[in-house]
Amino acid sequence: MKNIYNLTIEELEEYFLSIGEKKFKAIQLYSWLYEKRVKSFDEITDIKKTVIEKLKEDFSIEILKPIKVERDKLVNKYLFELYDGSLVESVLMRHDYGTSICVSSQVGCNMGCKFCESGRLKKVRDLNSYEMVLQILAVEKDINERITHVVIMGIGEPFDNYLNVTNFIKIINHPKGLSIGSRHITVSTSGIVPKILEFADFPYQVNLAISLHAPNDTLRSEIMPINRAYKIKDVMDALKIYYKKTNRRITFEYIMLDGVNDKEEHALELCKLLKGMNCYVNLIPYNETNNIQYKRSKNDNILKFYDIIKKNNIGVTIRREFGSNISAACGQLRSKREELWRHFI
Ligand code: SAH
Ligand code: SF4
C-alpha cells in the first residue's frame, strides 16, 4: 500500500479526481498532514466519511520513528529503520540562522568514492519520497520545532534517485506541505551529468552543490570512480548550461585530504578551472573514519588553500565542523553501522 506522504499535491489532486471528488480536497488533506500533523485519517473532520474510508483503503499513514538518537550540543543524529529493515540516518544541525537537516536519499551508495563511508556499502535501494519526508517529520517531532533548511547530503547519491528526490522537494516546498523555501534546500551530487542537465529544467529554485574534490581528471578518477564516466569537463559544460538556465550560483564542495588534493598546485589548478564562474567553494575538513586510510589536511594547509582561492576572487568558505563527537559528520554516517547492522538485522 502506498504511503500518503509519498504524494505531491498534483498526484493527490489526480487521486481525488479519480475517485470523483473535487481536487481542492488535496490541499485540505495536505494541511491535515503537514500543519495539523494528524496520526490517523479518522482525525480529519472536514472530509466526508466515505472519502476517509476510501483513503484508508488506498493509503497507509504510517510515520517513521527513530530507533536511536544521539544528541550533542548542536547536532542530533537519528537512526531510522525502514519497512524492509534497512537503516538510514539523518543529522540535525543548529545554526544561528536556523535549523537544518541532512537527509539520506538511498540505502548505501553505488558511487564508491574512496574517502566516503556511505560509499562502502553498495546501494541496497533508493528511498521513496515519503521516506525522505518522514525523516523531516520525525526530527521536527523530536525537537518540537520547525526545520528551516534541508540538505540532501546524507547517505546516497540524490541524482541516482532523481524522481523520488525531486518529488520529495516538491512536497517539502509546497506552502501547505512543509513549506521549506526552495532557496533553503540544497541537493549535493557527485556529478551525474545527464541529471545535472535535467535538473537545469526543474522549475524550483533549489541550490545545487557539486562534490568536486579534485581539480583534474587523474586525481578525481582516483578518488571518485564516477569521474571515469563523467569527466570534469563534462561536468563543467553541464554546469554552464545549468547556470544559463537557472542563473543560480553553484557550490563546489572540496574535501581536504592530507597530501592528496590539498597542495598549492591543486588550489591554483582549481582556481583556473573555476575562473569566471558564478560559484563558491566550500572546503570541507575531512572527517577521518576508522575504515579508511585518508587523513584530514593539516589546518595550515587548509588555510593556505583557502587564501589562494580567495586571492583569485573566488568565494570560499571552510565548513564549520559538526558532530564529529557522535560520528554524525558527513561521510561518517556509516562508520558505526556494522555494529548497528549486527544489532538490528
Ligand atoms: N552523494 C552526494 C551527497 C552525499 S555525500 C555527493 O557526493 O555529493 C555529501 C558530501 O559529504 C559530499 O561532498 C561528500 O563528498 C562528503 N563526504 C563524504 N565523506 C566525507 C568525510 N569522511 N568527511 C567529510 N566529507 C565527506
Ligand atoms: Fe556516494 Fe556521495 Fe559518498 Fe560518493 S561521497 S560514495 S557519491 S554518498
Side-chain angles (χ1 to χ4, degrees):
M1 198 191 284
K2 254 198 170 162
N3 187 299
I4 193 73
Y5 296 100
N6 210 51
L7 274 70
T8 63
I9 203 82
E10 291 79 17
E11 289 170 335
L12 206 47
E13 284 173 350
E14 255 169 53
Y15 168 77
F16 278 116
L17 288 175
S18 78
I19 60 164
E21 292 295 321
K22 294 268 170 15
K23 69 178 196 181
F24 72 83
K25 290 241 161 35
I27 290 280
Q28 250 172 297
L29 181 54
Y30 250 42
S31 86
W32 286 101
L33 296 175
Y34 296 105
E35 286 171 8
K36 304 191 188 74
R37 306 273 164 109
V38 290
K39 292 187 192 67
S40 93
F41 290 118
D42 289 324
E43 292 174 51
I44 299 173
T45 54
D46 60 359
I47 296 180
K48 63 178 186 267
K49 198 90 190 107
T50 48
V51 177
I52 295 292
E53 288 309 312
K54 182 85 181 99
L55 282 169
K56 279 158 82 175
E57 259 171 56
D58 292 339
F59 299 104
S60 105
I61 186 173
E62 240 178 283
I63 54 164
L64 270 184
K65 291 196 184 107
I67 53 172
K68 191 172 170 198
V69 186
E70 289 176 45
R71 299 171 199 280
D72 209 340
K73 244 189 279 145
L74 297 172
V75 186
N76 291 352
K77 180 171 85 160
Y78 297 84
L79 180 72
F80 295 103
E81 184 173 9
L82 307 176
Y83 69 86
D84 59 349
S86 292
L87 299 171
V88 290
E89 283 143 320
S90 318
V91 180
L92 165 93
M93 290 162 276
R94 295 179 189 284
H95 313 264
D96 36 15
Y97 57 78
T99 308
S100 75
I101 181 172
C102 177
V103 171
S104 292
S105 59
Q106 296 180 314
V107 182
C109 179
N110 271 347
M111 302 303 131
C113 303
K114 293 281 179 347
F115 47 79
C116 175
E117 280 285 347
S118 312
R120 297 197 328 123
L121 176 73
K122 274 237 162 271
K123 180 173 98 174
V124 176
R125 68 171 173 89
D126 292 329
L127 291 199
N128 295 300
S129 308
Y130 79 88
E131 293 171 308
M132 295 179 252
V133 172
L134 291 179
Q135 291 173 50
I136 304 183
L137 288 182
V139 172
E140 288 195 338
K141 184 158 190 267
D142 178 61
I143 59 172
N144 200 19
E145 256 175 71
R146 297 301 292 260
I147 282 165
T148 58
H149 292 68
V150 174
V151 297
I152 309 171
M153 288 190 190
I155 301 167
E157 165 51 54
F159 280 180
D160 184 37
N161 183 16
Y162 189 83
L163 189 61
N164 289 324
V165 165
T166 45
N167 276 354
F168 161 66
I169 293 171
K170 290 180 187 173
I171 297 167
I172 64 170
N173 176 245
H174 195 278
K176 293 282 179 193
L178 285 173
S179 192
I180 295 171
S182 54
R183 290 182 171 79
H184 288 188
I185 302 172
T186 302
V187 184
S188 171
T189 178
S190 56
I192 300 182
V193 165
K195 295 299 168 191
I196 296 175
L197 292 171
E198 201 171 334
F199 201 58
D201 293 320
F202 182 61
Y204 290 73
Q205 298 279 297
V206 292
N207 305 305
L208 180 62
I210 303 289
S211 291
L212 189 64
H213 307 323
N216 63 60
D217 282 327
T218 315
L219 186 52
R220 194 164 191 267
S221 295
E222 220 170 86
I223 59 177
M224 299 179 71
I226 176 118
N227 197 68
R228 294 175 207 150
Y230 303 112
K231 301 266 179 290
I232 293 179
K233 178 163 184 334
D234 303 335
V235 174
M236 290 301 165
D237 287 348
L239 289 175
K240 278 177 195 139
I241 295 170
Y242 170 87
Y243 184 73
K244 223 175 179 176
K245 289 191 175 171
T246 63
N247 227 11
R248 296 199 57 73
R249 186 169 73 157
I250 295 152
T251 303
F252 288 97
E253 293 157 281
Y254 196 102
I255 286 191
M256 301 296 296
L257 301 167
D258 187 35
V260 176
N261 64 353
D262 64 347
K263 302 190 182 117
E264 207 177 306
E265 72 212 47
H266 297 128
L268 290 168
E269 209 176 352
L270 182 65
C271 293
K272 215 164 139 197
L273 183 69
L274 303 184
K275 206 177 153 105
M277 264 181 121
N278 185 2
C279 67
Y280 92 92
V281 178
N282 193 198
L283 298 177
I284 310 174
Y286 181 60
N287 291 307
E288 293 174 14
T289 80
N290 290 338
N291 307 307
I292 298 173
Q293 83 280 14
Y294 291 118
K295 295 275 168 257
R296 166 191 303 222
S297 300
K298 316 233 168 359
N299 283 346
D300 269 5
N301 291 340
I302 299 180
L303 289 173
K304 263 189 222 148
F305 206 94
Y306 172 91
D307 283 339
I308 293 173
I309 300 176
K310 206 170 169 77
K311 273 202 197 98
N312 278 272
N313 293 321
I314 297 170
V316 56
T317 49
I318 299 175
R319 181 176 292 173
R320 196 172 137 202
E321 288 173 63
F322 275 107
S324 25
N325 288 347
I326 55 171
S327 300
C330 304
Q332 288 191 306
L333 287 176
R334 214 198 127 220
S335 36
K336 296 228 173 109
R337 179 167 270 242
E338 265 89 348
E339 173 198 323
L340 292 165
W341 281 77
R342 270 203 299 279
H343 278 265
F344 295 112
I345 293 186

